[in-house]
Structure formats: C-alpha cells, structure tokens
Amino acid sequence: MKLTKLHKEAIVRAIMQDTPPIDKVKRAEAILAAIVKAMSPEVRKLYKTKPEALRKKSVAYTNQYSNWNEAIVGDVTDAQIKEITEPYKIQEEERSAMHRKLTGAFEGINTLKQALTTFPEFKKYYPTEAEPTKNLPALANVMADLSKLGWPKK
C-alpha cells in the first residue's frame, strides 16, 4: 500500500500525541514562582502586599493561551529571567526537533511495507491495508440534488 502525505502526517501526529505533553499551566506557574523567588527580600515583601506597584514585563513563556505573557518581575533582571525560562525553551525546542525528525524520517518512506521494515515499533500507528469495498451505495442524481441545494454558488 502506498503511503500518501496525509498518511505520513497522521502517523507522525499520532506518535507525537502519545508522547507526554508539556503541562503549560504548571510550567507557567513554575516560571512565575521562580521570578518571585528571584526577587530581593524587600521587593518580595512589597509583591505580597501591593504587587501592582512593581515593574511588569513581557516574558517569553507559553501558557495555555499565548507565548508571551506579562509578569510582575520587580527587580529581577533580564539575565535572571532568561536563566529561569531557558530550560522550558529547551524542552519546547526538543519536542519540535523530534517532530521534525519524525517528519523527515517518514518523508523518505513510500509504502506501508517500507514503514513496517524501517520502524516496526510504530506498527500500531500505521494504516491497515485497504480492501476494495464490494457494496458501495448507489449514488443517483447527485448533480440534480446539488443543484437543488444551490450548487454552484453564483
């Protein structure tokens, strides 16, 4: 059976979906907690009583909604913020690199047989051999029915 581009994309997507996802909510909470921890004791004390008085900054971390989020950073420097967010960026890059690597590996595979010999461990993600259907439903008056519905749109 020939594997189409859609088959290959579906295989890669299924493999990546079985890879444990990044919990973006926990990651965002961990980054914000680390920023607060990096604040000086005086600023942290002010943060607990009146956080709106402190400096805010857009910080590059992904939560469930966006990639850039505003965080109260107080006296935390850009270098400290980069140090805090770097492990999470690396984690995201590793996941993206794995997706690209799988996509590249499957681009060179043309048939189901090749896929089975090259990556037998991914067998559960492969499509099954399609058998021709013997009893297709009769499709009569397709064009007339489409015309009744207003096709083609003018």
PDB file of all heavy atoms in Angstrom, residues 3 7-8 11-12 15 98-127:
ATOM      1  N   LEU A   3       1.860   4.943   0.869  1.00  0.00           N
ATOM      2  CA  LEU A   3       1.557   5.900   1.922  1.00  0.00           C
ATOM      3  C   LEU A   3       1.534   7.310   1.328  1.00  0.00           C
ATOM      4  O   LEU A   3       2.513   7.750   0.737  1.00  0.00           O
ATOM      5  CB  LEU A   3       2.600   5.842   3.040  1.00  0.00           C
ATOM      6  CG  LEU A   3       2.621   4.582   3.891  1.00  0.00           C
ATOM      7  CD1 LEU A   3       3.759   4.651   4.908  1.00  0.00           C
ATOM      8  CD2 LEU A   3       1.302   4.370   4.594  1.00  0.00           C
ATOM      9  N   HIS A   7      -1.255  10.210   5.078  1.00  0.00           N
ATOM     10  CA  HIS A   7      -0.972   9.048   5.937  1.00  0.00           C
ATOM     11  C   HIS A   7       0.236   9.339   6.827  1.00  0.00           C
ATOM     12  O   HIS A   7       0.209   9.102   8.041  1.00  0.00           O
ATOM     13  CB  HIS A   7      -0.652   7.796   5.096  1.00  0.00           C
ATOM     14  CG  HIS A   7      -1.837   7.158   4.459  1.00  0.00           C
ATOM     15  ND1 HIS A   7      -1.869   6.876   3.119  1.00  0.00           N
ATOM     16  CD2 HIS A   7      -3.022   6.733   4.957  1.00  0.00           C
ATOM     17  CE1 HIS A   7      -3.015   6.301   2.815  1.00  0.00           C
ATOM     18  NE2 HIS A   7      -3.745   6.214   3.919  1.00  0.00           N
ATOM     19  N   LYS A   8       1.298   9.859   6.201  1.00  0.00           N
ATOM     20  CA  LYS A   8       2.536  10.114   6.937  1.00  0.00           C
ATOM     21  C   LYS A   8       2.333  11.172   8.020  1.00  0.00           C
ATOM     22  O   LYS A   8       2.817  11.022   9.145  1.00  0.00           O
ATOM     23  CB  LYS A   8       3.639  10.545   5.967  1.00  0.00           C
ATOM     24  CG  LYS A   8       4.016   9.464   4.968  1.00  0.00           C
ATOM     25  CD  LYS A   8       4.958  10.013   3.918  1.00  0.00           C
ATOM     26  CE  LYS A   8       5.144   9.055   2.766  1.00  0.00           C
ATOM     27  NZ  LYS A   8       6.036   9.598   1.742  1.00  0.00           N
ATOM     28  N   ILE A  11       0.472   9.617  10.899  1.00  0.00           N
ATOM     29  CA  ILE A  11       1.338   8.736  11.699  1.00  0.00           C
ATOM     30  C   ILE A  11       2.181   9.567  12.661  1.00  0.00           C
ATOM     31  O   ILE A  11       2.242   9.283  13.860  1.00  0.00           O
ATOM     32  CB  ILE A  11       2.239   7.883  10.779  1.00  0.00           C
ATOM     33  CG1 ILE A  11       1.397   6.863  10.003  1.00  0.00           C
ATOM     34  CG2 ILE A  11       3.329   7.178  11.582  1.00  0.00           C
ATOM     35  CD1 ILE A  11       2.134   6.197   8.835  1.00  0.00           C
ATOM     36  N   VAL A  12       2.829  10.620  12.134  1.00  0.00           N
ATOM     37  CA  VAL A  12       3.682  11.470  12.975  1.00  0.00           C
ATOM     38  C   VAL A  12       2.851  12.144  14.064  1.00  0.00           C
ATOM     39  O   VAL A  12       3.247  12.190  15.233  1.00  0.00           O
ATOM     40  CB  VAL A  12       4.424  12.516  12.110  1.00  0.00           C
ATOM     41  CG1 VAL A  12       5.129  13.542  12.985  1.00  0.00           C
ATOM     42  CG2 VAL A  12       5.417  11.836  11.184  1.00  0.00           C
ATOM     43  N   ILE A  15       2.015   9.622  16.796  1.00  0.00           N
ATOM     44  CA  ILE A  15       3.188   9.318  17.630  1.00  0.00           C
ATOM     45  C   ILE A  15       3.431  10.459  18.614  1.00  0.00           C
ATOM     46  O   ILE A  15       3.659  10.240  19.809  1.00  0.00           O
ATOM     47  CB  ILE A  15       4.437   9.075  16.748  1.00  0.00           C
ATOM     48  CG1 ILE A  15       4.276   7.783  15.944  1.00  0.00           C
ATOM     49  CG2 ILE A  15       5.698   9.015  17.605  1.00  0.00           C
ATOM     50  CD1 ILE A  15       5.315   7.599  14.849  1.00  0.00           C
ATOM     51  N   MET A  98      12.010  16.789  17.625  1.00  0.00           N
ATOM     52  CA  MET A  98      11.574  15.397  17.470  1.00  0.00           C
ATOM     53  C   MET A  98      10.481  15.309  16.405  1.00  0.00           C
ATOM     54  O   MET A  98      10.470  14.389  15.583  1.00  0.00           O
ATOM     55  CB  MET A  98      11.071  14.833  18.803  1.00  0.00           C
ATOM     56  CG  MET A  98      10.583  13.404  18.703  1.00  0.00           C
ATOM     57  SD  MET A  98      11.703  12.247  17.866  1.00  0.00           S
ATOM     58  CE  MET A  98      13.117  12.292  18.914  1.00  0.00           C
ATOM     59  N   HIS A  99       9.582  16.266  16.388  1.00  0.00           N
ATOM     60  CA  HIS A  99       8.524  16.283  15.376  1.00  0.00           C
ATOM     61  C   HIS A  99       9.135  16.419  13.982  1.00  0.00           C
ATOM     62  O   HIS A  99       8.749  15.694  13.050  1.00  0.00           O
ATOM     63  CB  HIS A  99       7.545  17.425  15.657  1.00  0.00           C
ATOM     64  CG  HIS A  99       6.347  17.398  14.772  1.00  0.00           C
ATOM     65  ND1 HIS A  99       6.340  17.988  13.524  1.00  0.00           N
ATOM     66  CD2 HIS A  99       5.119  16.844  14.940  1.00  0.00           C
ATOM     67  CE1 HIS A  99       5.155  17.797  12.967  1.00  0.00           C
ATOM     68  NE2 HIS A  99       4.408  17.100  13.797  1.00  0.00           N
ATOM     69  N   ARG A 100      10.097  17.317  13.825  1.00  0.00           N
ATOM     70  CA  ARG A 100      10.775  17.495  12.531  1.00  0.00           C
ATOM     71  C   ARG A 100      11.537  16.232  12.127  1.00  0.00           C
ATOM     72  O   ARG A 100      11.534  15.835  10.958  1.00  0.00           O
ATOM     73  CB  ARG A 100      11.731  18.685  12.577  1.00  0.00           C
ATOM     74  CG  ARG A 100      11.046  20.030  12.563  1.00  0.00           C
ATOM     75  CD  ARG A 100      12.032  21.171  12.366  1.00  0.00           C
ATOM     76  NE  ARG A 100      13.114  21.189  13.339  1.00  0.00           N
ATOM     77  CZ  ARG A 100      13.054  21.762  14.524  1.00  0.00           C
ATOM     78  NH1 ARG A 100      11.951  22.381  14.913  1.00  0.00           N
ATOM     79  NH2 ARG A 100      14.094  21.742  15.337  1.00  0.00           N
ATOM     80  N   LYS A 101      12.179  15.596  13.095  1.00  0.00           N
ATOM     81  CA  LYS A 101      12.953  14.382  12.820  1.00  0.00           C
ATOM     82  C   LYS A 101      12.032  13.250  12.347  1.00  0.00           C
ATOM     83  O   LYS A 101      12.338  12.554  11.379  1.00  0.00           O
ATOM     84  CB  LYS A 101      13.706  13.953  14.080  1.00  0.00           C
ATOM     85  CG  LYS A 101      14.759  12.901  13.843  1.00  0.00           C
ATOM     86  CD  LYS A 101      15.446  12.494  15.132  1.00  0.00           C
ATOM     87  CE  LYS A 101      16.392  13.564  15.601  1.00  0.00           C
ATOM     88  NZ  LYS A 101      17.215  13.122  16.754  1.00  0.00           N
ATOM     89  N   LEU A 102      10.907  13.071  13.020  1.00  0.00           N
ATOM     90  CA  LEU A 102       9.949  12.040  12.607  1.00  0.00           C
ATOM     91  C   LEU A 102       9.381  12.341  11.223  1.00  0.00           C
ATOM     92  O   LEU A 102       9.258  11.446  10.378  1.00  0.00           O
ATOM     93  CB  LEU A 102       8.793  11.944  13.612  1.00  0.00           C
ATOM     94  CG  LEU A 102       9.053  11.152  14.881  1.00  0.00           C
ATOM     95  CD1 LEU A 102       7.917  11.359  15.873  1.00  0.00           C
ATOM     96  CD2 LEU A 102       9.226   9.679  14.574  1.00  0.00           C
ATOM     97  N   THR A 103       9.034  13.613  10.996  1.00  0.00           N
ATOM     98  CA  THR A 103       8.505  14.003   9.690  1.00  0.00           C
ATOM     99  C   THR A 103       9.516  13.709   8.596  1.00  0.00           C
ATOM    100  O   THR A 103       9.175  13.139   7.553  1.00  0.00           O
ATOM    101  CB  THR A 103       8.129  15.500   9.683  1.00  0.00           C
ATOM    102  OG1 THR A 103       7.150  15.732  10.710  1.00  0.00           O
ATOM    103  CG2 THR A 103       7.559  15.923   8.352  1.00  0.00           C
ATOM    104  N   GLY A 104      10.771  14.054   8.831  1.00  0.00           N
ATOM    105  CA  GLY A 104      11.820  13.786   7.854  1.00  0.00           C
ATOM    106  C   GLY A 104      12.026  12.303   7.617  1.00  0.00           C
ATOM    107  O   GLY A 104      12.249  11.868   6.479  1.00  0.00           O
ATOM    108  N   ALA A 105      11.946  11.521   8.682  1.00  0.00           N
ATOM    109  CA  ALA A 105      12.136  10.071   8.546  1.00  0.00           C
ATOM    110  C   ALA A 105      11.022   9.454   7.710  1.00  0.00           C
ATOM    111  O   ALA A 105      11.273   8.579   6.869  1.00  0.00           O
ATOM    112  CB  ALA A 105      12.185   9.416   9.921  1.00  0.00           C
ATOM    113  N   PHE A 106       9.789   9.909   7.907  1.00  0.00           N
ATOM    114  CA  PHE A 106       8.664   9.329   7.173  1.00  0.00           C
ATOM    115  C   PHE A 106       8.530   9.888   5.761  1.00  0.00           C
ATOM    116  O   PHE A 106       7.874   9.279   4.921  1.00  0.00           O
ATOM    117  CB  PHE A 106       7.354   9.479   7.955  1.00  0.00           C
ATOM    118  CG  PHE A 106       7.187   8.422   8.999  1.00  0.00           C
ATOM    119  CD1 PHE A 106       7.497   8.684  10.325  1.00  0.00           C
ATOM    120  CD2 PHE A 106       6.766   7.150   8.663  1.00  0.00           C
ATOM    121  CE1 PHE A 106       7.384   7.705  11.291  1.00  0.00           C
ATOM    122  CE2 PHE A 106       6.647   6.161   9.622  1.00  0.00           C
ATOM    123  CZ  PHE A 106       6.953   6.438  10.944  1.00  0.00           C
ATOM    124  N   GLU A 107       9.153  11.031   5.483  1.00  0.00           N
ATOM    125  CA  GLU A 107       9.116  11.558   4.116  1.00  0.00           C
ATOM    126  C   GLU A 107       9.841  10.625   3.150  1.00  0.00           C
ATOM    127  O   GLU A 107       9.477  10.542   1.985  1.00  0.00           O
ATOM    128  CB  GLU A 107       9.744  12.954   4.055  1.00  0.00           C
ATOM    129  CG  GLU A 107       8.817  14.043   4.528  1.00  0.00           C
ATOM    130  CD  GLU A 107       9.452  15.420   4.491  1.00  0.00           C
ATOM    131  OE1 GLU A 107      10.620  15.551   4.090  1.00  0.00           O
ATOM    132  OE2 GLU A 107       8.763  16.376   4.881  1.00  0.00           O
ATOM    133  N   GLY A 108      10.839   9.937   3.627  1.00  0.00           N
ATOM    134  CA  GLY A 108      11.594   9.018   2.771  1.00  0.00           C
ATOM    135  C   GLY A 108      10.957   7.658   2.609  1.00  0.00           C
ATOM    136  O   GLY A 108      11.485   6.804   1.893  1.00  0.00           O
ATOM    137  N   ILE A 109       9.846   7.427   3.258  1.00  0.00           N
ATOM    138  CA  ILE A 109       9.162   6.130   3.185  1.00  0.00           C
ATOM    139  C   ILE A 109       7.958   6.269   2.264  1.00  0.00           C
ATOM    140  O   ILE A 109       7.156   7.183   2.420  1.00  0.00           O
ATOM    141  CB  ILE A 109       8.731   5.675   4.601  1.00  0.00           C
ATOM    142  CG1 ILE A 109       9.980   5.427   5.454  1.00  0.00           C
ATOM    143  CG2 ILE A 109       7.853   4.439   4.528  1.00  0.00           C
ATOM    144  CD1 ILE A 109       9.685   5.135   6.903  1.00  0.00           C
ATOM    145  N   ASN A 110       7.850   5.351   1.308  1.00  0.00           N
ATOM    146  CA  ASN A 110       6.768   5.450   0.316  1.00  0.00           C
ATOM    147  C   ASN A 110       5.661   4.418   0.482  1.00  0.00           C
ATOM    148  O   ASN A 110       4.541   4.659   0.055  1.00  0.00           O
ATOM    149  CB  ASN A 110       7.350   5.338  -1.098  1.00  0.00           C
ATOM    150  CG  ASN A 110       8.263   6.515  -1.396  1.00  0.00           C
ATOM    151  OD1 ASN A 110       7.937   7.649  -1.077  1.00  0.00           O
ATOM    152  ND2 ASN A 110       9.413   6.235  -1.982  1.00  0.00           N
ATOM    153  N   THR A 111       5.990   3.268   1.073  1.00  0.00           N
ATOM    154  CA  THR A 111       4.987   2.211   1.164  1.00  0.00           C
ATOM    155  C   THR A 111       4.837   1.752   2.615  1.00  0.00           C
ATOM    156  O   THR A 111       5.719   1.970   3.447  1.00  0.00           O
ATOM    157  CB  THR A 111       5.369   0.997   0.299  1.00  0.00           C
ATOM    158  OG1 THR A 111       6.572   0.433   0.817  1.00  0.00           O
ATOM    159  CG2 THR A 111       5.545   1.382  -1.159  1.00  0.00           C
ATOM    160  N   LEU A 112       3.727   1.089   2.855  1.00  0.00           N
ATOM    161  CA  LEU A 112       3.479   0.531   4.180  1.00  0.00           C
ATOM    162  C   LEU A 112       4.521  -0.527   4.510  1.00  0.00           C
ATOM    163  O   LEU A 112       4.989  -0.607   5.649  1.00  0.00           O
ATOM    164  CB  LEU A 112       2.064  -0.048   4.245  1.00  0.00           C
ATOM    165  CG  LEU A 112       1.608  -0.639   5.567  1.00  0.00           C
ATOM    166  CD1 LEU A 112       1.660   0.402   6.681  1.00  0.00           C
ATOM    167  CD2 LEU A 112       0.202  -1.200   5.457  1.00  0.00           C
ATOM    168  N   LYS A 113       4.922  -1.315   3.521  1.00  0.00           N
ATOM    169  CA  LYS A 113       5.936  -2.345   3.737  1.00  0.00           C
ATOM    170  C   LYS A 113       7.262  -1.723   4.175  1.00  0.00           C
ATOM    171  O   LYS A 113       7.917  -2.212   5.098  1.00  0.00           O
ATOM    172  CB  LYS A 113       6.125  -3.170   2.466  1.00  0.00           C
ATOM    173  CG  LYS A 113       7.068  -4.327   2.626  1.00  0.00           C
ATOM    174  CD  LYS A 113       7.164  -5.146   1.359  1.00  0.00           C
ATOM    175  CE  LYS A 113       8.154  -6.286   1.550  1.00  0.00           C
ATOM    176  NZ  LYS A 113       8.317  -7.070   0.330  1.00  0.00           N
ATOM    177  N   GLN A 114       7.663  -0.628   3.526  1.00  0.00           N
ATOM    178  CA  GLN A 114       8.884   0.073   3.921  1.00  0.00           C
ATOM    179  C   GLN A 114       8.770   0.582   5.357  1.00  0.00           C
ATOM    180  O   GLN A 114       9.720   0.509   6.134  1.00  0.00           O
ATOM    181  CB  GLN A 114       9.147   1.270   2.996  1.00  0.00           C
ATOM    182  CG  GLN A 114       9.730   0.941   1.670  1.00  0.00           C
ATOM    183  CD  GLN A 114       9.935   2.209   0.841  1.00  0.00           C
ATOM    184  OE1 GLN A 114       9.132   3.138   0.890  1.00  0.00           O
ATOM    185  NE2 GLN A 114      11.009   2.233   0.079  1.00  0.00           N
ATOM    186  N   ALA A 115       7.618   1.117   5.698  1.00  0.00           N
ATOM    187  CA  ALA A 115       7.410   1.634   7.050  1.00  0.00           C
ATOM    188  C   ALA A 115       7.524   0.517   8.079  1.00  0.00           C
ATOM    189  O   ALA A 115       8.142   0.693   9.131  1.00  0.00           O
ATOM    190  CB  ALA A 115       6.047   2.320   7.156  1.00  0.00           C
ATOM    191  N   LEU A 116       6.946  -0.620   7.765  1.00  0.00           N
ATOM    192  CA  LEU A 116       6.996  -1.761   8.690  1.00  0.00           C
ATOM    193  C   LEU A 116       8.414  -2.282   8.869  1.00  0.00           C
ATOM    194  O   LEU A 116       8.785  -2.703   9.968  1.00  0.00           O
ATOM    195  CB  LEU A 116       6.072  -2.879   8.211  1.00  0.00           C
ATOM    196  CG  LEU A 116       4.577  -2.624   8.406  1.00  0.00           C
ATOM    197  CD1 LEU A 116       3.745  -3.623   7.617  1.00  0.00           C
ATOM    198  CD2 LEU A 116       4.222  -2.673   9.881  1.00  0.00           C
ATOM    199  N   THR A 117       9.220  -2.264   7.818  1.00  0.00           N
ATOM    200  CA  THR A 117      10.591  -2.751   7.956  1.00  0.00           C
ATOM    201  C   THR A 117      11.502  -1.709   8.602  1.00  0.00           C
ATOM    202  O   THR A 117      12.409  -2.066   9.345  1.00  0.00           O
ATOM    203  CB  THR A 117      11.183  -3.183   6.595  1.00  0.00           C
ATOM    204  OG1 THR A 117      11.092  -2.094   5.682  1.00  0.00           O
ATOM    205  CG2 THR A 117      10.459  -4.382   6.027  1.00  0.00           C
ATOM    206  N   THR A 118      11.244  -0.428   8.333  1.00  0.00           N
ATOM    207  CA  THR A 118      12.093   0.630   8.875  1.00  0.00           C
ATOM    208  C   THR A 118      11.776   0.917  10.341  1.00  0.00           C
ATOM    209  O   THR A 118      12.683   1.038  11.165  1.00  0.00           O
ATOM    210  CB  THR A 118      11.932   1.931   8.056  1.00  0.00           C
ATOM    211  OG1 THR A 118      12.139   1.635   6.675  1.00  0.00           O
ATOM    212  CG2 THR A 118      12.932   2.983   8.491  1.00  0.00           C
ATOM    213  N   PHE A 119      10.487   1.047  10.648  1.00  0.00           N
ATOM    214  CA  PHE A 119      10.063   1.369  12.015  1.00  0.00           C
ATOM    215  C   PHE A 119       8.982   0.399  12.486  1.00  0.00           C
ATOM    216  O   PHE A 119       7.817   0.761  12.627  1.00  0.00           O
ATOM    217  CB  PHE A 119       9.500   2.797  12.090  1.00  0.00           C
ATOM    218  CG  PHE A 119      10.485   3.877  11.767  1.00  0.00           C
ATOM    219  CD1 PHE A 119      10.343   4.647  10.627  1.00  0.00           C
ATOM    220  CD2 PHE A 119      11.551   4.138  12.615  1.00  0.00           C
ATOM    221  CE1 PHE A 119      11.244   5.650  10.325  1.00  0.00           C
ATOM    222  CE2 PHE A 119      12.459   5.142  12.325  1.00  0.00           C
ATOM    223  CZ  PHE A 119      12.306   5.905  11.172  1.00  0.00           C
ATOM    224  N   PRO A 120       9.346  -0.863  12.765  1.00  0.00           N
ATOM    225  CA  PRO A 120       8.318  -1.820  13.209  1.00  0.00           C
ATOM    226  C   PRO A 120       7.693  -1.447  14.559  1.00  0.00           C
ATOM    227  O   PRO A 120       6.563  -1.827  14.854  1.00  0.00           O
ATOM    228  CB  PRO A 120       9.081  -3.144  13.284  1.00  0.00           C
ATOM    229  CG  PRO A 120      10.520  -2.771  13.399  1.00  0.00           C
ATOM    230  CD  PRO A 120      10.670  -1.454  12.698  1.00  0.00           C
ATOM    231  N   GLU A 121       8.417  -0.664  15.367  1.00  0.00           N
ATOM    232  CA  GLU A 121       7.884  -0.289  16.686  1.00  0.00           C
ATOM    233  C   GLU A 121       6.692   0.668  16.598  1.00  0.00           C
ATOM    234  O   GLU A 121       5.950   0.836  17.558  1.00  0.00           O
ATOM    235  CB  GLU A 121       8.986   0.316  17.570  1.00  0.00           C
ATOM    236  CG  GLU A 121       9.710   1.497  16.970  1.00  0.00           C
ATOM    237  CD  GLU A 121      10.885   1.116  16.075  1.00  0.00           C
ATOM    238  OE1 GLU A 121      11.197  -0.071  15.937  1.00  0.00           O
ATOM    239  OE2 GLU A 121      11.490   2.029  15.510  1.00  0.00           O
ATOM    240  N   PHE A 122       6.479   1.275  15.429  1.00  0.00           N
ATOM    241  CA  PHE A 122       5.359   2.196  15.246  1.00  0.00           C
ATOM    242  C   PHE A 122       4.176   1.548  14.527  1.00  0.00           C
ATOM    243  O   PHE A 122       3.291   2.236  14.031  1.00  0.00           O
ATOM    244  CB  PHE A 122       5.796   3.445  14.461  1.00  0.00           C
ATOM    245  CG  PHE A 122       6.827   4.287  15.158  1.00  0.00           C
ATOM    246  CD1 PHE A 122       7.875   4.851  14.449  1.00  0.00           C
ATOM    247  CD2 PHE A 122       6.745   4.537  16.515  1.00  0.00           C
ATOM    248  CE1 PHE A 122       8.826   5.642  15.081  1.00  0.00           C
ATOM    249  CE2 PHE A 122       7.692   5.325  17.159  1.00  0.00           C
ATOM    250  CZ  PHE A 122       8.729   5.880  16.443  1.00  0.00           C
ATOM    251  N   LYS A 123       4.153   0.225  14.495  1.00  0.00           N
ATOM    252  CA  LYS A 123       3.141  -0.509  13.729  1.00  0.00           C
ATOM    253  C   LYS A 123       1.709  -0.104  14.107  1.00  0.00           C
ATOM    254  O   LYS A 123       0.851  -0.002  13.242  1.00  0.00           O
ATOM    255  CB  LYS A 123       3.320  -2.015  13.928  1.00  0.00           C
ATOM    256  CG  LYS A 123       2.367  -2.847  13.122  1.00  0.00           C
ATOM    257  CD  LYS A 123       2.583  -4.322  13.336  1.00  0.00           C
ATOM    258  CE  LYS A 123       1.581  -5.112  12.516  1.00  0.00           C
ATOM    259  NZ  LYS A 123       1.762  -6.538  12.671  1.00  0.00           N
ATOM    260  N   LYS A 124       1.476   0.176  15.369  1.00  0.00           N
ATOM    261  CA  LYS A 124       0.106   0.490  15.790  1.00  0.00           C
ATOM    262  C   LYS A 124      -0.392   1.817  15.211  1.00  0.00           C
ATOM    263  O   LYS A 124      -1.582   2.083  15.196  1.00  0.00           O
ATOM    264  CB  LYS A 124      -0.011   0.497  17.314  1.00  0.00           C
ATOM    265  CG  LYS A 124       0.626   1.665  18.017  1.00  0.00           C
ATOM    266  CD  LYS A 124       0.369   1.583  19.510  1.00  0.00           C
ATOM    267  CE  LYS A 124       0.832   2.850  20.210  1.00  0.00           C
ATOM    268  NZ  LYS A 124       0.482   2.839  21.613  1.00  0.00           N
ATOM    269  N   TYR A 125       0.513   2.638  14.704  1.00  0.00           N
ATOM    270  CA  TYR A 125       0.123   3.927  14.134  1.00  0.00           C
ATOM    271  C   TYR A 125      -0.117   3.855  12.624  1.00  0.00           C
ATOM    272  O   TYR A 125      -0.607   4.814  12.034  1.00  0.00           O
ATOM    273  CB  TYR A 125       1.207   4.981  14.404  1.00  0.00           C
ATOM    274  CG  TYR A 125       1.512   5.153  15.869  1.00  0.00           C
ATOM    275  CD1 TYR A 125       2.711   4.710  16.407  1.00  0.00           C
ATOM    276  CD2 TYR A 125       0.589   5.757  16.730  1.00  0.00           C
ATOM    277  CE1 TYR A 125       2.994   4.862  17.752  1.00  0.00           C
ATOM    278  CE2 TYR A 125       0.854   5.904  18.078  1.00  0.00           C
ATOM    279  CZ  TYR A 125       2.064   5.463  18.584  1.00  0.00           C
ATOM    280  OH  TYR A 125       2.331   5.612  19.911  1.00  0.00           O
ATOM    281  N   TYR A 126       0.245   2.752  12.001  1.00  0.00           N
ATOM    282  CA  TYR A 126       0.143   2.636  10.556  1.00  0.00           C
ATOM    283  C   TYR A 126      -1.279   2.318  10.134  1.00  0.00           C
ATOM    284  O   TYR A 126      -2.010   1.618  10.838  1.00  0.00           O
ATOM    285  CB  TYR A 126       1.087   1.546  10.031  1.00  0.00           C
ATOM    286  CG  TYR A 126       2.552   1.817  10.288  1.00  0.00           C
ATOM    287  CD1 TYR A 126       3.457   0.781  10.406  1.00  0.00           C
ATOM    288  CD2 TYR A 126       3.031   3.112  10.414  1.00  0.00           C
ATOM    289  CE1 TYR A 126       4.803   1.013  10.630  1.00  0.00           C
ATOM    290  CE2 TYR A 126       4.379   3.356  10.650  1.00  0.00           C
ATOM    291  CZ  TYR A 126       5.248   2.313  10.755  1.00  0.00           C
ATOM    292  OH  TYR A 126       6.568   2.551  10.992  1.00  0.00           O
ATOM    293  N   PRO A 127      -1.659   2.797   8.945  1.00  0.00           N
ATOM    294  CA  PRO A 127      -2.991   2.432   8.437  1.00  0.00           C
ATOM    295  C   PRO A 127      -3.011   0.954   8.050  1.00  0.00           C
ATOM    296  O   PRO A 127      -1.969   0.361   7.767  1.00  0.00           O
ATOM    297  CB  PRO A 127      -3.150   3.330   7.207  1.00  0.00           C
ATOM    298  CG  PRO A 127      -1.763   3.664   6.778  1.00  0.00           C
ATOM    299  CD  PRO A 127      -0.926   3.657   8.023  1.00  0.00           C
TER     300      PRO A 127
END
